[in-house]
Amino acid sequence: MAQCKGTVVLAYSGGLDTSCILVWLKEQGYDVIAYLANIGQKEDFEAARKKALALGAKKVYIEDVSREFVESFIWPAVQANALYEDRYLLGTALARPCIARGLVGIAQQERAPYIAHGATGKGNDQVRFELSCYALCPKIKVVAPWRLPEFYQRFPGRRELMDYAKKHGIPVPVTPQTPWSMDENLMHISYEAGILENPKVIDHGSHGAGGVSCIRSLIGNFTAGPPVCVPVKVTNTGDGATRSSALELFVYLNDIAGKHGVGRIDIVENRFVGMKSRGIYETPAGTILYHAHLDIEAFTMDREVRKIKQGLSLKFSELVYNGFWHSPECEFLRECIGRSQEPVVGTVRLSVFKGHVYILGRESPRSLYNEELVSMNVQGDYEPADATGFININSLR
C-alpha cells in the first residue's frame, strides 16, 4: 500500500482518461476528490457520481456552472468576435478557465494541496488548466499524470488505458471501434485523436447530426449595457418562439443551428506547444452569434475604432487559445473590447439553411448608416465635386 500523499482534487469527466487516472492516483497513495463541472455536456451526472465513488473517490462534487460559462466566458468571446486562426471559435479554450475556477474553489474548500487533470503532455489543455489554477491559487500543486514518466511509459497509448480499465473493472465509453476523443460543452463538441490523427481520413459526419430543412428566420437582439452588447433575446419568426435568458437563448440556438449542420469545421490548427493537430468542431450557437454580432458591430461602430478593435480581437483569441485567460494582458483586453461595445446595440434578422448562416437585415438606434447620404437617388449633404481633390491627393504618390 502506497504511503498517503495527501488529498488531490481531480478534474473528472467520467471518460477513459480521468476514470483510469482516478484509480491510478489511488494506487499512488492520494485521497481523491472528483470534481465534475456541468458546462452543458449531455451526461448522466448521477451515474458519473456513482462511478467515481465506486472507483474509490473520497468525495464527488458536481457543479452546474453552465450559466456562468455563458455569461462570463462565452459572451466576452462573442463581443470580441474571437476566432483563432480565422476558423476556430475557441469552445474548449473558453471552457478550461471556467472549470479551473471551480476546481480551485473545491481545493481551497477542502484544503487540498493538489489538483490533477487528464490533459495530455502534448496538448493545449494542460497549459490552460494550470495557468488558470496558478493564477487563482499560486500555491497549488499540480499532478499531471500524462507528464510523469511512470504514467506515460506504462500507458503509451489509449489501447493500454483500455486494457487497464478492463483489468480494474472501469466502465468506459471508448472502445477500439470508436477510438477518438470527444469533448463536449455548451459552446461546442470537438473530436480528435485516433483515426482522426491522419489528416487524409475523410470524416463522413457520423459524429453529430446535421439536418437540411429550412427555418424561416431568426431575430437576435443585442442590448447596450450594463453589460454592454450581449445577446438578450432570440425570436423564431417561424413559430414565434422566444428565448431571453442567457442560458436558454444559447441552448435554443444550439438546437436550431445544430439541426442545420451550422458551425461544423474540419481543420488543422497550430497548438501552443508547437505542433499542428487536426480537429473536428461543431459550434452551432456560437457560429450564429458570431455572424450576428459581426453584422451589428459593423453597422454601429466607427470605422477607425473597429480597425483597432479587430487587432485586439486577434490578440484576445490567441491569448485565450494559449491559456492566458487570467493574465493581466487578457484582462486588459477584455476591458478594452468591452468599452468598444457601448454603441453596439440593435436587432439582426438572419436565417440558417444547410450549414450556413445568412444575414437578412438589421436595425439599431445607434446606427451610423445614413440612408440619404449613401443614396444613389438623392444627393443629400454631400458634394460630389469634392471627390476630385480627394482622388488627386491620393494619387500623388
Side-chain angles (χ1 to χ4, degrees):
M1 191 73 180
Q3 183 179 359
C4 183
K5 295 179 179 178
T7 300
V8 59
V9 181
L10 170 65
Y12 177 75
S13 70
L16 174 65
D17 290 42
T18 56
S19 295
C20 291
I21 285 171
L22 195 161
V23 175
W24 184 84
L25 288 170
K26 290 281 294 179
E27 286 182 348
Q28 307 310 303
Y30 292 99
D31 289 328
V32 182
I33 294 175
Y35 174 75
L36 177 55
N38 175 1
I39 49 176
Q41 68 271 38
K42 295 178 181 67
E43 186 164 339
D44 186 336
F45 292 99
E46 190 53 38
R49 180 194 302 276
K50 291 177 180 177
K51 178 179 177 181
L53 291 171
L55 294 178
K58 181 181 175 182
K59 291 183 182 178
V60 179
Y61 285 90
I62 299 176
E63 277 192 317
D64 186 346
V65 295
S66 51
R67 180 178 175 181
E68 176 188 358
F69 181 41
V70 174
E71 295 180 344
S72 299
F73 295 88
I74 294 178
W75 280 178
V78 171
Q79 291 179 338
N81 300 323
L83 206 60
Y84 180 71
E85 295 189 335
D86 303 316
R87 299 176 72 188
Y88 174 41
L89 285 164
L90 299 167
T92 301
L94 291 167
R96 295 318 184 220
C98 182
I99 296 171
R101 186 182 293 182
L103 191 67
V104 168
I106 296 301
Q108 292 174 327
Q109 178 181 321
E110 291 286 341
R111 297 185 178 181
Y114 303 98
I115 62 105
H117 59 75
T120 74
K122 289 184 177 181
N124 298 305
D125 282 345
Q126 57 179 336
V127 184
R128 295 164 180 162
F129 273 128
E130 293 180 38
L131 288 182
S132 290
C133 288
Y134 289 139
L136 296 168
C137 184
K139 293 183 180 180
I140 202 78
K141 297 180 179 67
V142 177
V143 180
W146 281 114
R147 296 206 305 269
L148 299 174
E150 59 267 32
F151 186 87
Y152 65 71
Q153 288 175 3
R154 182 177 178 183
F155 305 109
R158 299 180 75 77
R159 170 71 66 176
E160 288 76 16
L161 274 181
M162 285 187 269
D163 290 342
Y164 181 81
K166 183 177 180 179
K167 177 181 176 181
H168 289 81
I170 303 171
V172 292
V174 177
T175 68
Q177 286 74 40
T178 56
W180 54 69
S181 175
M182 184 185 85
D183 180 70
E184 180 185 14
N185 60 50
L186 270 172
M187 184 67 164
H188 82 173
I189 303 176
S190 68
Y191 306 92
E192 61 182 4
I195 60 171
L196 301 178
E197 288 176 351
N198 182 345
K200 294 188 296 184
V201 169
I202 297 174
D203 170 58
H204 294 285
S206 58
H207 305 303
V212 294
S213 60
C214 182
I215 188 166
R216 287 169 61 188
S217 65
L218 297 168
I219 299 176
N221 295 94
F222 289 84
T223 184
V228 293
C229 192
V230 297
V232 293
K233 186 170 71 173
V234 61
T235 301
N236 186 334
T237 61
D239 59 14
T242 296
R243 300 292 188 277
S244 298
S245 76
L247 185 56
E248 287 181 349
L249 182 156
F250 204 84
V251 170
Y252 181 70
L253 287 179
N254 266 335
D255 180 54
I256 292 294
K259 291 176 181 177
H260 292 266
V262 168
R264 186 182 177 90
I265 61 172
D266 185 331
I267 65 172
V268 174
E269 70 199 55
N270 288 294
R271 287 181 180 171
F272 187 31
V273 294
M275 65 188 74
K276 292 183 183 291
S277 65
R278 190 259 190 107
I280 296 169
Y281 301 106
E282 297 175 6
T283 318
T287 300
I288 282 184
L289 292 173
Y290 172 83
H291 288 288
H293 177 266
L294 192 65
D295 188 80
I296 200 68
E297 185 178 81
F299 194 50
T300 57
M301 185 178 287
D302 176 80
R303 180 182 69 178
E304 298 305 315
V305 173
R306 190 162 182 264
K307 286 180 183 178
I308 295 171
K309 191 258 181 178
Q310 286 176 307
L312 298 181
S313 297
L314 188 65
K315 185 62 178 178
F316 173 82
S317 302
E318 180 184 293
L319 288 172
V320 173
Y321 183 87
N322 291 343
F324 289 88
W325 179 271
H326 291 288
S327 67
E329 63 270 33
C330 195
E331 291 179 356
F332 174 73
L333 282 180
R334 289 200 297 276
E335 288 289 330
C336 292
I337 291 169
R339 172 68 175 80
S340 77
Q341 298 298 290
E342 290 181 3
V344 184
V345 55
T347 300
V348 180
R349 183 184 291 265
L350 56 87
S351 66
V352 289
F353 182 58
K354 292 188 176 182
H356 295 281
V357 177
Y358 298 94
I359 301 296
L360 305 177
R362 79 286 297 157
E363 60 181 329
S364 170
R366 300 290 298 272
S367 166
L368 297 182
Y369 181 88
N370 186 319
E371 188 173 348
E372 182 182 88
L373 184 64
V374 79
S375 174
M376 302 297 287
N377 298 314
V378 180
Q379 184 169 316
D381 188 21
Y382 181 82
E383 181 54 62
D386 292 342
T388 302
F390 176 80
I391 295 168
N392 288 338
I393 292 295
N394 276 280
S395 70
L396 283 177
R397 60 186 176 152

